[in-house]
Amino acid sequence: MNAVTAEPILKVKDLSTTFQNDKAGLHVLDQINFKVIESEFVCILGPSGSGKSTLLRIIAGLLPYSQGEIELDGEILNGPRPGVGMIFQNSNLMPWRTVIENIQLPISLQNGNILDADSPQKLIDLVGLQGFEDVLPRDLSGGMAQRVAIARALVQNPDLLLLDEPFGALDAITRERMGEELLRIWNADQKTVIMVTHNISEALYLADRVLVLSDRPANISLDLEVTLSRPRKEEMRYTKEFGQFAKQLRAAIG
Amino acid sequence: MDRVKKNMNGSRKNHWSLIPITGILSILIWYFVVWLGDFQAFILPTPQLVWLRFIRSLDDGSLLRHFSVTLGEVMGGLAVGVFTASSLGYLLARSRKLERIMSPYIVASQSVPVVAIAPLLIIWFGPGLTSKVIICSLIVFFPILINTIIGLRSVPEDLYDLMRSLQANRWQIFSLLEVPAALPVLFGGLRIGATLSVIGAVVGEFVGADRGLGFLINVGRGQYDTSLVFVAVFSLVFMALALYGSITLIENKLLKWNMRPEQRILNDT
Ligand SMILES: Nc1ncnc2c1ncn2[C@@H]1O[C@H](COP(=O)(O)OP(=O)(O)O)[C@@H](O)[C@H]1O
Ligand SMILES: [Mg+2]
């Protein structure tokens, strides 16, 4: 919001990626450039197979990149970093761990040495799963499972939250409700959020900025500042302004 | 919910109540066959004779002695086989290259029947415990190896990503992700392995031994003590069932998360 003064926490410069899975190689990302400032909510839109997940996995440090440069918190990125929370499309819970045990996973992996870790119980409350602490993932609905995944990503109190189509597998109503909750959490402690989605309305409703990836090999075909006022309200989805933004994004996706 | 519970329990009780009925039926048929063929005891003894022989070998302690020898071989072979096969399986699952190099040899080794090389193993390692443990572990090896590889390959790629994004180290990925995720498939292999291990021990004892239930079968045959052969065979069946049952029990305790809902209901009651 104060884009002029704030220092970017993430800088992506001339990022290109090719998967070497066959002789030809699959050129996925081509000269990607963008910056994200602190506590900004950025959505990445793009056609399926354009490389959105690839881009997010690179930022998470899960995938090495060969060309270009990524700077996170002022340091060149070369692997997974603490302080980055990741939320996947399927909730990606461990089926043998209960809800609370899944949420505790990040803490137990650091043997409890996370400086400002949140208490798992507080997160249970935050995502509204009171009473489900000892339930196994198999007994959760899709929306509840994704809430657990959100709580798990938040427990280590990350500065950067990466979400890869987190609500893609949910029905429309649950999806909107989860979006509301994500906004509420983001409002509460102003984390930086980068979220991949293929839903235009969702991107507009949530984001400060929407990046549109083109077809493969993908570059950024549109970098759109969403100037809708905050807090966002349900009715905004039906305003003319919202419609115009949506049209613009639709055209950019092609 | 309550109704469902009752029905489930009911059907389970029915299932178990079949066992004594079929047992009594088999014994009656057995009597009938002996009566019909007018067989001599050394060809086919009556159930009663087998029972008396069983009591006698219990009384003189011989049955228990031979039973525990065979059980030791079976358990030893299972332990060695499971340890080596799951270790190798882990390495093969981690490295496609190693798997490509090794798998022709592993598959080829499976075309050599263990029965055929058992005499060699007895020559090399003597008629005692060692040769039997080796035979059992060889028989157990393949199913455990395959199940370990399948189990580890079934770990979702996304969960690896999650663990890496949380900066899990190699040991944490192994103990907190790979082991629990592969365990259900591994237990499948373990159940097959346990019964195979019993077969391995008997094969080994047939070829060369001076104790064990397989040895007891040989003795019974040699002395035309057919009742003793029956006693030994039933003891082996009992051993295999008990092993299978214990493994299933441990599995149910350990892998509650992996059970079908109706199984969990049964387990809770
Ligand atoms: N690890 C990989 N190895 C080879 N090709 C991959 C790999 N990951 C993704 N791809 C390919 O890269 C392209 C982009 O994938 P992805 O980033 O998942 O797209 P999106 O998330 O936008 O749908 C796809 O064609 C996909 O098949
Ligand atoms: Mg994707």
Side-chain angles (χ1 to χ4, degrees), chain A residues 138, chain B residues 1-16 248-249 252-253 256 259-269:
Chain A
R138 53 180 300 153
Chain B
M1 227 17 211
D2 257 12
R3 255 229 330 260
V4 174
K5 244 184 207 174
K6 267 188 202 124
N7 282 342
M8 291 292 181
N9 268 338
S11 64
R12 190 161 125 127
K13 281 212 184 85
N14 286 339
H15 169 73
W16 283 113
T248 308
L249 216 67
N252 287 352
K253 274 265 168 301
K256 269 207 167 97
M259 277 187 274
R260 280 172 286 124
E262 68 269 21
Q263 275 178 303
R264 277 184 300 160
I265 292 169
L266 289 173
N267 228 266
D268 290 344
T269 47

Side-chain angles (χ1 to χ4, degrees), chain B residues 162-222:
Chain B
L162 173 80
M163 290 297 268
R164 289 206 293 132
S165 80
L166 293 170
Q167 281 139 331
N169 58 38
R170 196 51 245 163
W171 166 249
Q172 289 171 325
I173 291 177
F174 175 72
S175 60
L176 297 177
L177 173 58
E178 290 171 332
V179 171
L183 224 43
V185 185
L186 198 62
F187 261 105
L190 210 55
R191 270 185 287 171
I192 300 168
T195 35
L196 286 180
S197 191
V198 175
I199 294 174
V202 174
V203 165
E205 288 169 358
F206 273 175
V207 176
D210 51 10
R211 65 203 93 172
L213 292 171
F215 167 76
L216 209 57
I217 291 176
N218 264 345
V219 169
R221 200 194 52 182

Side-chain angles (χ1 to χ4, degrees), chain A residues 19-21 26-29 46-57 63 164-165 196 213 216:
Chain A
F19 282 120
Q20 234 67 54
N21 39 356
L26 186 69
H27 191 103
V28 179
L29 299 175
S48 165
S50 58
K52 304 181 295 293
S53 298
T54 304
L55 177 58
L56 210 65
R57 278 161 50 83
L63 215 59
D164 190 359
E165 305 199 31
V196 167
L213 290 191
R216 219 176 35 235

Side-chain angles (χ1 to χ4, degrees), chain B residues 5 14-15 17-18 20-21 24 32-33 38 55 68 78 104-105 129 142-143 147 149 157-158 164 196 205 211 240 244:
Chain B
K5 244 184 207 174
N14 286 339
H15 169 73
S17 66
L18 281 178
I21 296 174
I24 290 168
F32 182 69
V33 170
D38 195 18
I55 298 293
S68 43
L78 201 56
Y105 296 101
L129 181 68
F142 198 60
N147 280 49
I149 294 173
E157 210 47 53
D158 272 359
R164 289 206 293 132
L196 286 180
E205 288 169 358
R211 65 203 93 172
Y244 191 94

Side-chain angles (χ1 to χ4, degrees), chain A residues 86-113:
Chain A
M86 181 116 187
I87 296 170
F88 302 78
Q89 169 157 14
N90 67 358
S91 56
N92 212 9
L93 302 176
M94 291 183 168
W96 52 89
R97 285 178 166 248
T98 61
V99 165
I100 191 90
E101 286 168 347
N102 265 290
I103 295 174
Q104 278 162 340
L105 178 73
I107 301 178
S108 50
L109 288 178
Q110 306 306 318
N111 302 314
N113 310 324

